Amino acid sequence: MKDQRGISCSCPSFKSLSNKVGNILCHRTPQMRYKRLDTKLEKKVLEVKNTSSSRHKKFQTINSIIMRFPQFKEGLENIKAVFQQYDEDSNGTIDKEELKKCLDELQLHLSETDMEDLFHSCDIDENQAIQFTEFIVLLCLIYLLKEASSTNETEKIGSPSIEATFDTIIEAFLFLDKDNDGKLKKKDVIKALNDASPKERSPHHVTMKRFKEMDWGRKGKVSFREFLFTFIDWVGVETDNNGDGFSYNNGDGYSDDLPS
């Protein structure tokens, strides 16, 4: 949707979701759990950054990320098949027992603490079950935690295409992390958006809008977990009222605000 000035407006459902998550992060969930998990994720992001420093960078501008949205779509469709496989009662969610079975069959071995932290930090509506979008985030977080340090070749997240999708999402985060500290700050996002077109800088309200979409905790910095939820929305993953819907907007709501 666009206003009278032709500026793309946030989807109401995403605004509602963002506000909900912000409230949860700020008021309702144990802060220690999030801090513990996010600290681990920051360290893993930096490990990936250090181990991949010699490789050719996938992204040079924010536009190069947007151009890959169709590939993200294809990878996310593959994750949908994994979700349906372990949603044994076909109710559109995965509970703790179904998740444990999923991770066991994928040979992803987590400590009880890590399991609890991941489950509750991805269960953003606190219904004690993981919906599809939450499942994507959870699998990607597990992949990041395992990817940087694991030498066990049996610990794989589904198909190679799913792992490639997660690798590319991590690369997108690393592109935005200009300070190389494992989290995104306002200046990081502003720089990334303006680098997309140096001769036509993004309007301030656009860059602020994009940062606020990610900064659900309103802390002035964005964890990989918060980025991941927002990035999936930018690509276009949505859930219906039953929690099992799956559709895409091909990133149109995101790219409309960028300089052409």
Side-chain angles (χ1 to χ4, degrees), residues 136-154:
I136 296 175
V137 173
L138 188 145
L139 276 191
C140 189
L141 295 184
I142 293 174
Y143 179 69
L144 176 59
L145 290 171
K146 293 292 185 181
E147 195 270 346
S149 59
S150 177
T151 57
N152 187 348
E153 290 298 320
T154 65

Side-chain angles (χ1 to χ4, degrees), residues 81 116 135 140 142 151 157 258:
E116 287 293 318
F135 183 71
C140 189
I142 293 174
T151 57
I157 306 287
L258 290 177

Side-chain angles (χ1 to χ4, degrees), residues 10-20 233 237-239:
S10 296
C11 174
S13 62
F14 178 72
K15 183 177 180 180
S16 175
L17 176 63
S18 178
N19 289 338
K20 179 193 296 184
D233 185 84
V237 180
E238 298 175 354
T239 57

Side-chain angles (χ1 to χ4, degrees), residues 220-237:
K221 58 184 179 181
V222 176
S223 68
F224 179 75
R225 178 171 47 86
E226 292 172 314
F227 163 80
L228 190 53
F229 270 111
T230 311
F231 188 81
I232 290 170
D233 185 84
W234 286 346
V235 173
V237 180

